[in-house]
Amino acid sequence: MTAEKPRKELSVQEKQLIARAKLVLMHYLKMSEDQAHKFIEKQSMNLRQSKVTTAISILNTYELKNFVLDE
């Protein structure tokens, strides 16, 4: 039996970061919203990181801003 970590509810700021990253992917890579959503989920799983961390990476790559998550 494996112990599962309880899932943390995303804050409004975190949801906005993910939504902004989806918009960036849609704009720069001409993805649909569904494709952008799946891309963020797949990248997060492949890299074993949160969707928020993946979103920040996308925003840093395409918008050349340094986003950080205040914890």
Side-chain angles (χ1 to χ4, degrees), residues 34-46:
D34 190 49
Q35 289 171 324
H37 178 79
K38 287 179 182 174
F39 178 84
I40 292 171
E41 283 188 332
K42 186 161 176 49
Q43 280 294 102
S44 298
M45 286 189 290
N46 289 344

Side-chain angles (χ1 to χ4, degrees), residues 22-33 35-36:
K22 281 198 279 188
L23 288 172
V24 165
L25 291 172
M26 291 165 63
H27 176 76
Y28 288 103
L29 300 181
K30 307 298 185 213
M31 291 183 177
S32 69
E33 184 175 1
Q35 289 171 324

